[in-house]
Amino acid sequence: EDKVVQSPLSLVVHEGDTVTLNCSYEVTNFRSLLWYKQEKKAPTFLFMLTSSGIEKKSGRLSSILDKKELSSILNITATQTGDSAIYLCAVEGGSNYKLTFGKGTLLTVNP
Amino acid sequence: GAGVSQSPSNKVTEKGKDVELRCDPISGHTALYWYRQSLGQGLEFLIYFQGNSAPDKSGLPSDRFSAERTGGSVSTLTIQRTQQEDSAVYLCASSLSSGRGNEQFFGPGTRLTVL
């Protein structure tokens, strides 16, 4: 059975801190790993990673995939209160392209 | 449309009643997915459509759950004889097609509460 594990489950930091969120996976026929941010209801897409070692960057957020270690990290630098959300990691694989999600990391950024 | 839309946004029902949840995917997206998110849990895959056919129904938790998609667009998830454990947020997502590199875009979800 496909599995995605995220750590930590929750994290509280102060504005300006840098955080690293972790995601590890076990999935057959790996195709891609995706990061989403969920603030209220709909997860919003952040990154899709398919190749190992290539960092994807968007503003203060960056992510990288390590296929050898079957893991990915999401970095957020100079955190702001607006970064407070659940960050979901999902892996696309199997025979029908479904996403298997981890339970998420709840990030709280205090002023 | 501009994004994935779902209706209703909230639904409260009594145990034993049937409910229908609707999803309108992004125009032109051929793949459509249903997920369920219970309190404190990650998203749980339910079913996936490519066009009007559902190649993967493996996530449907019981035979009380069914889904259909017509015209390659709108999808309806039906839960018959609802139980309290069905209470969750039901999320729909769509992508251009089911294939590598097609990220899924999510709707706002339907929060279902079964009393």
Side-chain angles (χ1 to χ4, degrees), chain B:
Chain B
V4 179
S5 61
Q6 292 186 245
S7 62
S9 54
N10 282 286
K11 175 75 179 175
V12 180
T13 190
E14 292 179 349
K15 180 179 166 181
K17 302 276 190 187
D18 298 352
V19 295
E20 276 191 1
L21 312 179
R22 177 186 166 110
C23 172
D24 276 278
I26 293 172
S27 179
H29 280 194
T30 62
L32 185 148
Y33 309 78
W34 282 99
Y35 295 88
R36 175 168 75 171
Q37 188 173 33
S38 304
L39 193 63
Q41 301 295 316
L43 275 73
E44 173 192 3
F45 169 81
L46 297 178
I47 187 171
Y48 141 76
F49 287 91
Q50 179 58 46
N52 290 336
S53 65
D56 188 351
K57 303 179 184 180
S58 62
L60 293 176
S62 77
D63 58 9
R64 297 185 294 105
F65 287 71
S66 63
E68 63 175 17
R69 189 178 185 196
T70 54
S73 181
V74 171
S75 176
T76 304
L77 177 70
T78 301
I79 309 173
Q80 295 178 307
R81 304 180 304 281
T82 51
Q83 304 292 313
Q84 286 179 334
E85 63 261 27
D86 299 335
S87 296
V89 175
Y90 289 82
L91 288 158
C92 173
S94 70
S95 66
L96 271 173
S97 70
S98 57
R100 187 169 178 150
N102 285 302
E103 62 265 30
Q104 296 179 19
F105 294 89
F106 283 82
T110 293
R111 182 176 296 281
L112 174 66
T113 304
V114 181
L115 302 176

